[in-house]
Amino acid sequence: MALSFDLFGTLVTADRPSEPWDAVSAALSARSVRVPDDWEAAYRSAHREYDRGREAPLEEHVRLALASRGIEVTEETATAAVLDAFDSPVTVRDGAIEAMAAAAQRGPVAVCSNCSVPGLVERTLARADIEPRSGHSFDAVVTSVGCGWRKPHQRIFEATADALGVTLAALVHVGDDARTDGGADRAGAESVLLDEHPLPAIAEQLREGELC
């Protein structure tokens, strides 16, 4: 058996800007990028279509929004700006450390997270300083921006199972959102949702061998 954990809302609670276009604007301005006067409208508009279930990388959206106003920036600049805009203080949720440690006693452990900002999941994990085994990081970190597909699409769960070296049938995914994390069931894995099984209870169930 292998376990994967959603990150935001499951393992950690993170502060997020209420007006993300302003946060991105400030990060762009700090890099000497001219931000158009109607930036909020540009940011909140769609600039390309994506297949259903595909991730829309935020750095790409920012570059397209700027280009729609005649402003060109490099991928590197946009990536750094959106990462700084969304990198924020996080709080490790009660029971998260215990649940991950108990999971690590059963098999490989991954993070499987929807996130459109490249590098944000990795930076959040470093900021929160959480790991399933003392001195050892997760066996895999799978993000929607990295694999190109968002939960609940089957492909992100397939990528997670592949990264852990197991079949989908051997993967248990823990998360807080029935719509997205619950997609593990439809993909052929198993989902465990926090509204029914809080993290401390999951840790106890794993220690007792009662979960899966």
Side-chain angles (χ1 to χ4, degrees):
M1 183 186 76
L3 274 89
S4 61
F5 289 85
D6 173 54
L7 181 59
F8 301 107
T10 297
L11 296 179
V12 304
T13 301
D15 294 334
R16 287 288 178 262
S18 59
E19 297 180 338
W21 49 88
D22 284 343
V24 173
S25 174
L28 289 169
S29 295
R31 290 165 172 78
S32 301
V33 175
R34 180 174 65 85
V35 178
D37 293 338
D38 63 343
W39 173 241
E40 179 181 345
Y43 184 93
R44 299 180 72 171
S45 298
H47 299 282
R48 64 162 289 188
E49 294 184 0
Y50 294 88
D51 293 338
R52 184 177 179 83
R54 276 286 188 182
E55 180 58 276
L58 189 57
E59 55 82 16
E60 179 180 75
H61 174 71
V62 167
R63 286 189 290 118
L64 292 172
L66 289 169
S68 73
R69 300 317 193 252
I71 301 167
E72 301 293 334
V73 297
T74 65
E75 179 179 345
E76 291 74 17
T77 296
T79 297
V82 298
L83 182 56
D84 281 355
F86 286 87
D87 184 23
S88 60
V90 298
T91 302
V92 179
R93 301 195 66 198
D94 181 44
I97 301 297
E98 293 79 6
M100 289 186 298
Q105 296 300 312
R106 301 294 305 277
V109 184
V111 163
C112 174
S113 177
N114 278 352
C115 183
S116 64
V117 179
L120 183 60
V121 165
E122 292 81 1
R123 186 175 288 189
T124 298
L125 289 171
R127 182 188 286 275
D129 192 24
I130 56 176
E131 50 194 18
R133 304 174 184 85
S134 178
H136 296 277
S137 61
F138 288 88
D139 297 292
V141 175
V142 179
T143 66
S144 57
V145 75
C147 76
W149 298 92
R150 291 183 65 82
K151 294 178 288 186
H153 200 283
Q154 178 175 338
R155 292 195 185 183
I156 189 170
F157 296 110
E158 290 175 340
T160 302
D162 287 346
L164 294 177
V166 299
T167 64
L168 273 172
L171 176 68
V172 177
H173 177 70
V174 178
D176 66 308
D177 190 323
R179 184 184 66 83
T180 57
D181 298 305
D185 290 326
R186 297 184 292 278
E190 179 176 348
S191 65
V192 177
L193 300 176
L194 297 191
D195 60 351
E196 299 174 356
H197 302 274
L199 287 172
I202 290 173
E204 181 63 23
Q205 290 170 335
L206 285 167
R207 287 192 292 266
E208 297 297 325
E210 298 174 353
L211 182 62
C212 304

